[in-house]
Amino acid sequence: MGRHFGAVGIFCFAFLFLPVARGSVVLRLIDIPFEHATRYHVWLGHLTMMLFSLHGLLYVIAWVIDGHLLEQLLDWKDTGTANLPGAISLLAGLLIWVTSFSPVIKLNFELFFYSHQLYVVFVIFLALHVGDFYFCMSAGGIFLFMLDRFLRFCQSRKIVKIIRVKFFPCGTMEFVLSKPANLRYNALSFVFLHVRELSWLQWHPFSVSSSPLNGKYHVSVLIKVLGEWTAKLRGDILNVSEAMLEEELPLKPNNKITASVEGPYGHELPYHVMYENLVLVAGGIGISPFIAILSDILHRVREGMPCLPRNVFIIWAVKKSTEIPLLSIVDMESICPSFSDKLNVKTHIYVTRESEPPLEEDNVQSTVTSSTNLFVSNGSAMSGLVGTGHKGWSGLYLISSAVGFITLMVLLQVFYINPYGISKWWYKALLFIACMAISILIFGGVVVALWHLWETRVSEREGHDDDGTKVDKVYHNENLTQQDSGLKNPLKSTLIKFGARPDFKEIFAHLSERWGHVDVGVIVCGPATLQASVARDIRSHSIRRERDHPIFHFNSHSFNL
């Protein structure tokens, strides 16, 4: 029984790394974005570790019955399965597993994150345990993950220029990052951000808050202070800004902010423009991708690009009214002066922890004032090697690495394993992993280098300096307009309710009567409870809906581990 559980576990292990290859060609071909694919990784991880745990437990029970537990645990056979590497692999896997449950992640994210780095120990010692023959059955997914990991490493070595940081009263920061003109993304994309001064290993995902039509040379993200990492980031940036204002240059080493970026990731198709009617449901900072969506739709309407939405209804639940100024990022009249003739935008804001507007303010709109600090860090435009990069180069990188791996294995078999009679299972497995790594570094590395040179030349041809000093005139114009107009335009058709939560049953019933039988796209970004509530009410409405009522299509846009 223990042997059978191990065999089934190897089968599950073969698929375990496929969903977490962020820029994988496979995920892009089947159009499953990374933030959705991680759910499959979670399910497969639980199943794999359950099977491996039963595998190890049953063997331990058998060895205890035989009275040879310690002897068997320390056994390292040359032919057959080596028990000691298997025990080490299982212990590493168990540590990864127990720290990956939701309560642990919420209490101590760093523990979850750093323990997951033990996957290297888990994989290598598993290979030593089962040998090259059984390990090769699951090596395909690991090879694709290694390909993706090397590409991400090459991209993330680049220090990205931070053009500007804007602070909002609620503690949220808007980062404007430099990017090359040929880097593609859409309004539903997200990036991973790394700040070396805060942590050498931690990467945190953030949805983009800008449309690709906002400008060619920058991308924006909203970062809300929710934990230690974001709080320290905000504090360090404020310290650097104060030093710049006091002209304390050059800055001290501990007063630098160096940002690296992975991505962008996400859907390559902008499915938010494929519905005539859109309902955008946000919770807190979940408004970030919807700011990008609204801006994208307005730009498409202005430029006459293909765009189906005619009705956009935004439902935003916030804890306090200080979060409302985030809407000032989108100046609808400035982007598309006559948008109201072609697009109907309604916004309902629910302030859940305030029963009435703040006493010191007669109108919530007057809370627009936000502290804005100009902040420019050294660096260049982000690299386009990962995420929605060039499919041709991605395919060539995959093919060259695979051909290189096969070539190395053939050469190794002909000139080393056969002539010298290498028969140790664990040693051949180690050589197998070494060939995978070397093929990616050498054969794949050549393609990555050529890809980088091609990307640099394309950027130069499009008139973008690699030092990241060029910023869109569009960005400056929109920024000045937003500072002048504040929330005046976004709040024209906005209803703010204090001390209330959205009643989705009532909302969907009202929209069904108002919009008729045309299907409605519902995109939700926020806490899991909010997503579950919306999904439940949509399911209930679909079951009871009348023939002339629309079908609500549920889409989740939240990154949850």
Side-chain angles (χ1 to χ4, degrees):
M1 286 297 294
R3 186 180 296 111
H4 290 315
F5 276 124
V8 179
I10 286 289
F11 179 77
C12 295
F13 177 75
F15 298 93
L16 182 61
F17 286 86
L18 284 175
V20 287
R22 298 175 184 173
S24 171
V25 177
V26 176
L27 293 181
R28 292 170 62 188
L29 287 175
I30 59 180
D31 194 27
I32 296 181
F34 168 66
E35 68 271 23
H36 292 174
T38 52
R39 300 174 186 177
Y40 298 99
H41 173 72
V42 172
W43 298 335
L44 282 168
H46 289 311
L47 181 58
T48 301
M49 286 312 305
M50 183 180 67
L51 291 168
F52 281 165
S53 299
L54 290 172
H55 164 74
L57 178 62
L58 290 175
Y59 267 99
V60 167
I61 292 173
W63 293 335
V64 169
I65 294 173
D66 290 340
H68 301 291
L69 175 61
L70 185 60
E71 179 184 347
Q72 289 288 350
L73 281 176
L74 299 178
D75 183 52
W76 194 317
K77 299 176 183 177
D78 290 338
T79 303
T81 56
N83 296 337
L84 182 58
I88 296 173
S89 176
L90 182 58
L91 288 175
L94 288 173
L95 186 56
I96 295 173
W97 191 23
V98 298
T99 57
S100 64
F101 288 95
S102 296
V104 178
I105 296 175
K106 292 178 181 178
L107 290 174
N108 195 331
F109 178 82
E110 286 74 16
L111 177 62
F112 156 78
F113 181 84
Y114 289 119
S115 64
H116 253 64
Q117 308 312 309
L118 291 172
Y119 75 86
V120 178
V121 177
F122 177 65
V123 171
I124 291 177
F125 279 90
L126 178 63
L128 298 178
H129 171 59
V130 299
D132 61 316
F133 178 77
Y134 290 105
F135 182 74
C136 73
M137 297 180 181
S138 57
I142 297 172
F143 186 68
L144 289 176
F145 175 79
M146 292 173 65
L147 284 167
D148 176 73
R149 192 66 191 86
F150 177 68
L151 204 56
R152 285 160 46 198
F153 175 81
C154 294
Q155 184 194 38
S156 62
R157 294 307 91 192
K158 201 170 188 179
I159 302 300
V160 177
K161 183 181 182 65
I162 304 175
I163 300 171
R164 183 174 178 273
V165 177
K166 180 176 181 180
F167 296 92
F168 289 88
C170 59
T172 299
M173 302 169 285
E174 181 190 24
F175 272 58
V176 182
L177 305 169
S178 176
K179 81 170 189 70
N182 62 316
L183 178 64
R184 301 190 304 274
Y185 75 99
N186 65 53
L188 288 167
S189 297
F190 69 96
V191 298
F192 278 82
L193 185 65
H194 171 253
V195 179
R196 193 171 300 169
E197 289 72 24
L198 303 183
S199 172
W200 279 90
L201 291 178
Q202 290 188 38
W203 291 80
H204 293 263
F206 299 99
S207 297
V208 301
S209 58
S210 61
S211 163
L213 301 177
N214 279 55
K216 294 181 179 180
Y217 305 110
H218 72 270
V219 60
S220 303
V221 296
L222 289 178
I223 301 176
K224 185 175 182 179
V225 177
L226 293 173
E228 293 182 7
W229 190 89
T230 49
K232 195 171 187 304
L233 175 63
R234 177 182 171 87
D236 286 0
I237 291 176
L238 287 173
N239 291 337
V240 174
S241 299
E242 290 174 3
M244 293 174 65
L245 291 175
E246 295 173 3
E247 298 182 352
E248 296 180 357
L249 298 174
L251 294 175
K252 297 178 181 180
N254 59 345
N255 281 337
K256 291 194 307 180
I257 296 294
T258 54
S260 300
V261 177
E262 281 186 11
Y265 302 106
H267 278 289
E268 296 192 26
L269 296 176
Y271 65 86
H272 60 279
V273 300
M274 300 178 183
Y275 297 100
E276 185 174 330
N277 299 318
L278 267 180
V279 177
L280 308 177
V281 183
I285 195 60
I287 195 65
S288 177
F290 299 153
I291 291 173
I293 287 176
L294 185 57
S295 176
D296 192 62
I297 292 174
L298 290 169
H299 276 96
R300 288 173 179 270
V301 170
R302 184 189 66 185
E303 299 177 12
M305 298 175 64
C307 183
L308 284 180
R310 293 295 175 264
N311 296 292
V312 179
F313 185 37
I314 302 174
I315 304 170
W316 187 20
V318 297
K319 293 180 179 179
K320 296 186 178 181
S321 57
T322 53
E323 298 185 47
I324 297 177
L326 292 178
L327 287 178
S328 65
I329 296 173
V330 181
D331 187 349
M332 296 190 286
E333 292 288 352
S334 174
I335 297 175
C336 186
S338 58
F339 78 92
S340 56
D341 297 334
K342 299 179 180 179
L343 184 67
N344 178 34
V345 180
K346 297 290 183 183
T347 305
H348 284 192
I349 301 176
Y350 297 83
V351 184
T352 59
R353 295 192 179 180
E354 293 179 4
S355 57
E356 57 185 12
L359 295 177
E360 66 273 12
E361 303 289 351
D362 295 331
N363 194 321
V364 177
Q365 298 183 29
S366 61
T367 64
V368 173
T369 305
S370 59
S371 62
T372 305
N373 294 63
L374 294 179
F375 176 88
V376 178
S377 72
N378 295 326
S380 57
M382 66 177 68
S383 171
L385 294 179
V386 195
T388 54
H390 195 278
K391 289 184 178 180
W393 282 108
S394 299
L396 183 60
Y397 171 60
L398 171 63
I399 294 171
S400 63
S401 299
V403 171
F405 170 68
I406 295 172
T407 303
L408 287 177
M409 286 298 298
V410 171
L411 293 176
L412 190 68
Q413 192 75 28
V414 172
F415 294 102
Y416 181 64
I417 294 179
N418 289 339
Y420 292 93
I422 304 299
S423 60
K424 296 178 181 179
W425 284 25
W426 62 270
Y427 183 56
K428 292 170 70 175
L430 193 61
L431 293 174
F432 189 92
I433 294 177
C435 287
M436 292 170 64
I438 293 172
S439 66
I440 294 172
L441 290 174
I442 297 179
F443 295 88
V446 171
V447 175
V448 171
L450 294 174
W451 186 355
H452 176 71
L453 292 175
W454 173 84
E455 182 188 53
T456 302
R457 290 188 178 183
V458 170
S459 296
E460 291 174 350
R461 194 180 320 132
E462 293 181 353
H464 179 57
D465 296 329
D466 281 337
D467 60 1
T469 56
K470 183 173 181 179
V471 185
D472 295 293
K473 293 181 179 179
V474 176
Y475 167 73
H476 284 299
N477 294 336
E478 290 179 354
N479 179 49
L480 292 173
T481 306
Q482 289 170 13
Q483 290 179 352
D484 295 335
S485 65
L487 282 179
K488 177 176 61 179
N489 289 319
L491 290 183
K492 274 186 176 181
S493 57
T494 298
L495 174 65
I496 303 177
K497 296 183 179 181
F498 289 86
R501 296 180 181 274
D503 185 344
F504 294 110
K505 288 184 179 180
E506 180 181 341
I507 291 172
F508 292 144
H510 173 71
L511 294 179
S512 296
E513 296 292 341
R514 181 179 175 185
W515 286 348
H517 66 278
V518 179
D519 288 0
V520 179
V522 181
I523 307 177
V524 185
C525 184
T529 53
L530 177 66
Q531 297 182 56
S533 176
V534 175
R536 182 176 59 252
D537 289 334
I538 286 179
R539 190 181 303 112
S540 175
H541 177 272
S542 299
I543 295 174
R544 297 179 176 84
R545 78 179 188 92
E546 298 180 10
R547 181 174 299 179
D548 58 343
H549 285 179
I551 296 176
F552 291 88
H553 299 270
F554 177 86
N555 298 276
S556 171
H557 186 71
S558 294
F559 187 89
N560 292 317
L561 292 173

